[in-house]
Amino acid sequence: QALRASGPVIIDGALESTWDSALWQEFRHPTRSDNVVRFATRWDDTNLYLAFDVTDGSVETDATEPYRNDSVELYFDPAYTRTMSLDADDVSAFVVATGLATDSAFESAAATTPSGYIVEVAVPFSRLAHTPMEGDVLGLLVGNNDRDVGSSSQFDWAGIGDTGPYARPHLWGDLLLV
């Protein structure tokens, strides 16, 4: 569930008080990575906000391809069509642990921490071609890419990567705007 933000959400790589009351989820995949990912969502009339607190013993961001770096992956099905493969309404992006997002419409920031890194993202509802209302359900998949000693692995919140590619919206999770 994404709770409505009570005020502005600052995207700076620091988890301000707006995240204190958010509903945090945790995921990991011990056979693929030693990372532990906590994430939360918020929303307002303009943006969907996501925060990631990643425990990662070695933050590496020197690869040229974003998905080969320590990063988070975001997949949205804003029309909630739940198709078998990506369609025109679906949106995806990577946000590297440096804060660089592969979708220029996203506002993003990151910061390293003693235990890993934090990523914050503001996804404009205009980019998702969606006018948000309380009670809306969007398809959502989030994943983590872990680069250790030049080698990358990935895993996701729903365990989809264990059975094939992420590009299967019918398997993604549900994000309820409340």
Side-chain angles (χ1 to χ4, degrees):
Q1 293 181 350
L3 301 175
R4 184 181 259 289
S6 58
V9 177
I10 300 165
I11 304 300
D12 62 0
L15 299 176
E16 283 85 9
S17 61
T18 191
W19 296 110
D20 292 348
S21 61
L23 303 174
W24 287 86
Q25 302 289 316
E26 184 175 289
F27 66 101
R28 64 183 82 204
H29 197 306
T31 60
R32 291 185 184 220
S33 168
D34 59 352
N35 285 7
V36 177
V37 181
R38 292 179 57 237
F39 78 98
T41 55
R42 300 300 300 248
W43 69 285
D44 60 22
D45 291 337
T46 307
N47 294 303
L48 176 63
Y49 303 97
L50 298 99
F52 295 84
D53 185 357
V54 181
T55 301
D56 185 345
S58 173
V59 179
E60 295 183 31
T61 58
D62 57 354
T64 38
E65 301 92 352
Y67 68 93
R68 294 197 189 278
N69 286 298
D70 282 313
S71 58
V72 295
E73 292 189 48
L74 311 169
Y75 295 84
F76 303 98
D77 181 11
Y80 199 66
T81 53
R82 303 196 49 86
T83 54
M84 301 291 280
S85 60
L86 296 178
D87 64 14
D89 81 294
D90 300 328
V91 174
S92 64
F94 295 89
V95 182
V96 179
T98 60
L100 173 70
T102 59
D103 188 315
S104 62
F106 292 16
E107 179 185 357
S108 57
T112 56
T113 66
S115 61
Y117 61 96
I118 291 170
V119 168
E120 288 183 299
V121 185
V123 179
F125 278 113
S126 60
R127 174 65 180 97
L128 299 178
H130 186 84
T131 303
M133 292 178 49
E134 186 173 324
D136 285 354
V137 178
L138 290 76
L140 174 69
L141 180 67
V142 295
N144 183 249
N145 297 303
D146 181 19
R147 181 177 173 90
D148 287 333
V149 195
S151 178
S152 299
S153 62
Q154 62 183 183
F155 61 101
D156 64 278
W157 168 46
I160 293 171
D162 290 341
T163 62
Y166 291 166
R168 297 176 290 163
H170 67 288
L171 299 175
W172 298 353
D174 300 339
L175 179 64
L176 174 64
L177 303 184
V178 295

